[in-house]
Amino acid sequence: MLSITRLGSALGSALGSRVATVTASSFQSSRRRFSRKTGNELIYPNRTSSPQITEHSVNAGSTHETHHEKGDMLPPPSTSVSLPAITLEPLFKIEHKGNNELTEVQITDVDGIQVGSLEKSGGMSTIGVCVGAGSKWEGEGTRGINQAMELMCLKGNQEMGSTEIVERLDSLGSQIFALSSRDNYTMSVDCLRDNLDPAFKLWKNCLLDGVYSDEEVEECKDIMGWINTEMMGQDRLKEGIMGAAYGSSPLGNTHFVGDERQVSQITGARIREWREKFFTRGNMFIGGAGIEHAKLVDLVGEHFKDVKEGGPVESAKSEYVGGEFRLQEQNSIDGLTRVAVAFEVGGWHDDDMVAICVLQTLLGGGDSFSAGGPGKGMYSRLYREVLNRCYWAEAAEAFIMLHNDAGIIGISGASVPSMSQNLTFQILEQFAKLSYQNVTDEELSRAKNMLRCNVLTQLESRQILAEDLVRQFQTYGERLDPAVICEKIDAVTKDDLRRIVQKGMSKPPSISCVGPDLDKCPLFEQIAHIRGKDDLL
């Protein structure tokens, strides 16, 4: 580090100037006139003595003294003089090592449990677990168990009740989140680094030690019934499209159970049996963001030592069949009919996975009215060719639903019931157009840039980073480097997108319709034959 003496010497040499100091006594008499000229009283409104003033006389050609007699006013500063560049040595020298702990994931096997972490500067830590257990494994007598476990993630255990758990989390500045899906179950804790030890123990108790008393289970069933009753139309639409696409195979299972008979079969004992079967060492991955790797390894070794041995539980393969789901809502809030049409694509392990994401981004879309203000996504294809041209279209948005062994890509939309047939064929026309006509260079470039931006900005969030880490390891057995993902995005071509749509449209579509009036919605038999442009003419 430079000393003060060397710093002053370096500045003086670089400026090539002489510093003349005006003492407080010689300047006192002229302070009032000087302050009226320069606004010094505004800068120092409460000072009782004058500051020390230094004058720098800069002249590239010669050096001379500038004298000011007592009472003389200082000249105004010049704005036309160019000062020479000042080069200072760096105050700190950083030694770059081969491994960067802030960007590279560290992995350790802790007695059969894979533990990974990614350090992130800050005073907060997020730790999560991903278990290979989801609604696609549910069967008769176990329908809705994953949803029930998600809703009861903060229920009591042998050590304390649910009220005490919530109070302790609040006192620690911590939160616990749970999320279940068709493929996996995740639970994470977000906490202050200083409170990591007690927060981790609470999180582990909620994950593995819940008792699920009869009273808590009955309360959970009531909530599940309320969720089913109050579920929004677009959520029912997405649930329906999965059932239409996969029929009675595992991915066709309803994730949000509304059947009273199935809900009534959920008991605390069955939930505990489910946990014992799936929450094993070889079927979970624990990851953290914003935590030292050695610390996380120690915590897992201390608190997960009683987890039994086991591995991934096999599930029957889900076959795409294509079909129809229709639900007539009795009490629609907005009176709109919602339609979704989807086709088969590959899942998370498919070679075209990144290209499928690019295709969804290119289609884009959304609601005709944006609550966040106009302009977002207005250049995506569905905004330009559907929402901006069809006055009756209230929404049109592309979606993908990818799973370990299968996936679908689709477009959902909303309109008044009388225009639902037009909406359905507008959606089919968009897919048909992609199957016979390449997208433009501008569209493809914009979609790639948007997807790349979304991937990178999402990783700035500590919570998303931890969830992404555990999900990727549960799915792939490794974490895909963001740079590698960006390279794959760049490698996507127009032909890739066209090929994906052509392959998807080679099989029957899946259609889901939800609304108060479905009379105008085409039946599956009316659209099952559609394979491209010629079938729409």
Side-chain angles (χ1 to χ4, degrees):
M1 181 179 294
L2 291 175
S3 65
I4 298 299
T5 304
R6 290 185 60 195
L7 181 61
S9 175
L11 285 171
S13 174
L15 291 173
S17 63
R18 181 174 180 177
V19 179
T21 303
V22 182
T23 62
S25 59
S26 65
F27 182 72
Q28 184 66 33
S29 61
S30 61
R31 184 174 66 84
R32 291 295 180 184
R33 282 181 293 167
F34 170 72
S35 63
R36 283 195 295 270
K37 292 289 185 179
T38 64
N40 195 43
E41 288 179 338
L42 297 177
I43 301 175
Y44 303 103
N46 300 318
R47 294 191 78 131
T48 56
S49 61
S50 302
Q52 186 182 39
I53 304 297
T54 60
E55 175 202 348
H56 301 277
S57 176
V58 181
N59 192 313
S62 62
T63 58
H64 62 278
E65 292 188 18
T66 302
H67 298 281
H68 291 278
E69 299 295 335
K70 183 177 181 180
D72 289 346
M73 291 187 300
L74 294 176
S78 172
T79 59
S80 61
V81 177
S82 299
L83 296 177
I86 301 176
T87 303
L88 299 177
E89 298 179 15
L91 298 180
F92 300 96
K93 291 185 178 180
I94 302 176
E95 182 180 353
H96 295 281
K97 299 180 180 180
N99 296 326
N100 188 350
E101 294 183 356
L102 295 179
T103 60
E104 294 187 3
V105 177
Q106 300 183 69
I107 305 294
T108 300
D109 185 293
V110 182
D111 296 329
I113 301 177
Q114 295 295 310
V115 178
S117 69
L118 187 63
E119 182 58 279
K120 193 174 180 67
S121 58
M124 299 288 291
S125 298
T126 301
I127 300 169
V129 62
C130 185
V131 183
S135 55
K136 73 178 184 181
W137 281 277
E138 295 173 356
E140 186 62 33
T142 58
R143 299 284 190 197
I145 277 189
N146 284 276
Q147 184 187 2
M149 291 183 65
E150 175 186 341
L151 295 173
M152 293 195 293
C153 67
L154 294 179
K155 296 304 180 182
N157 51 62
Q158 296 290 351
E159 294 186 15
M160 66 192 77
S162 58
T163 301
E164 186 178 355
I165 290 175
V166 173
E167 290 175 350
R168 289 195 180 185
L169 287 171
D170 289 342
S171 67
L172 295 172
S174 304
Q175 288 181 304
I176 288 179
F177 308 92
L179 181 65
S180 61
S181 68
R182 284 175 166 82
D183 283 323
N184 46 53
Y185 179 90
T186 61
M187 182 186 287
S188 61
V189 59
D190 197 45
C191 61
L192 295 166
R193 283 192 188 235
D194 293 342
N195 297 333
L196 191 57
D197 290 287
F200 188 95
K201 183 179 179 181
L202 278 174
W203 171 70
K204 176 263 180 183
N205 289 343
C206 292
L207 178 70
L208 299 176
D209 302 331
V211 175
Y212 311 119
S213 65
D214 293 341
E215 181 181 356
E216 292 173 339
V217 172
E218 290 303 316
E219 180 184 1
C220 175
K221 291 179 181 179
D222 292 338
I223 296 174
M224 292 173 69
W226 176 83
I227 290 175
N228 181 68
T229 302
E230 300 297 326
M231 188 180 297
M232 301 295 290
Q234 54 266 35
D235 297 324
R236 297 187 188 276
L237 192 73
K238 298 293 179 63
E239 280 290 292
I241 201 72
M242 289 296 293
Y246 296 103
S248 59
S249 61
L251 286 178
N253 289 347
T254 300
H255 182 67
F256 297 98
V257 178
D259 185 273
E260 292 184 3
R261 184 188 64 83
Q262 293 178 342
V263 172
S264 65
Q265 296 178 354
I266 299 175
T267 63
R270 286 186 171 176
I271 297 176
R272 291 190 294 271
E273 290 173 3
W274 181 272
R275 188 179 63 196
E276 288 294 317
K277 178 180 180 180
F278 288 93
F279 287 52
T280 60
R281 291 183 174 273
N283 197 34
M284 64 171 60
F285 182 88
I286 298 175
I291 181 175
E292 295 179 4
H293 185 68
K295 177 67 173 179
L296 181 58
V297 169
D298 291 342
L299 289 171
V300 173
E302 176 184 356
H303 294 286
F304 282 75
K305 57 187 176 183
D306 295 330
V307 178
K308 70 175 187 178
E309 300 291 335
V313 180
E314 293 296 326
S315 170
K317 186 174 177 59
S318 295
E319 296 290 343
Y320 178 87
V321 293
E324 179 183 37
F325 172 83
R326 300 171 78 91
L327 175 65
Q328 189 162 351
E329 289 183 306
Q330 300 299 323
N331 300 310
S332 174
I333 295 177
D334 51 19
L336 298 178
T337 294
R338 291 172 169 81
V339 178
V341 180
F343 294 92
E344 183 189 24
V345 293
W348 289 119
H349 296 278
D350 192 85
D351 293 337
D352 289 326
M353 186 268 292
V354 174
I356 294 167
C357 296
V358 172
L359 179 58
Q360 181 209 8
T361 306
L362 184 142
L363 287 168
D367 294 334
S368 60
F369 174 76
S370 175
K376 300 190 298 299
M378 293 297 286
Y379 288 97
S380 66
R381 177 166 287 199
L382 291 181
Y383 260 113
R384 290 185 291 107
E385 299 190 3
V386 178
L387 292 172
N388 286 346
R389 295 182 181 180
C390 304
Y391 68 91
W392 40 264
E394 297 293 336
E397 184 174 12
F399 66 88
I400 54 176
M401 304 180 77
L402 303 183
H403 301 275
N404 287 340
D405 54 353
I408 57 175
I409 183 169
I411 298 174
S412 63
S415 70
V416 293
S418 61
M419 302 302 292
S420 56
Q421 179 174 333
N422 292 24
L423 176 63
T424 304
F425 281 96
Q426 276 288 334
I427 292 173
L428 288 166
E429 183 180 341
Q430 291 300 317
F431 279 113
K433 186 176 179 180
L434 287 167
S435 71
Y436 70 84
Q437 185 180 53
N438 278 336
V439 302
T440 65
D441 292 333
E442 184 181 11
E443 282 183 303
L444 182 59
S445 175
R446 182 183 295 116
K448 289 181 178 180
N449 289 335
M450 289 181 64
L451 181 59
R452 189 185 301 109
C453 176
N454 291 338
V455 168
L456 297 178
T457 54
Q458 289 291 315
L459 296 179
E460 294 178 4
S461 167
R462 184 185 61 260
Q463 293 92 337
I464 294 178
L465 190 61
E467 180 182 346
D468 174 73
L469 177 62
V470 296
R471 284 182 181 272
Q472 285 203 38
F473 267 92
Q474 186 65 34
T475 302
Y476 299 116
E478 62 177 346
R479 178 177 183 261
L480 300 180
D481 189 273
V484 174
I485 296 177
C486 289
E487 290 176 1
K488 292 185 177 182
I489 293 174
D490 291 334
V492 174
T493 66
K494 301 176 186 179
D495 291 337
D496 292 332
L497 304 187
R498 186 176 176 181
R499 174 177 48 79
I500 289 169
V501 177
Q502 287 178 340
K503 182 179 178 181
M505 295 192 74
S506 66
K507 293 184 179 181
S510 299
I511 180 172
S512 177
C513 307
V514 176
D517 183 0
L518 305 180
D519 291 343
K520 296 295 184 180
C521 292
L523 298 174
F524 176 73
E525 292 75 15
Q526 295 175 289
I527 66 172
H529 67 284
I530 294 176
R531 297 291 184 271
K533 175 182 66 170
D534 296 337
D535 299 321
L536 290 171
L537 298 178

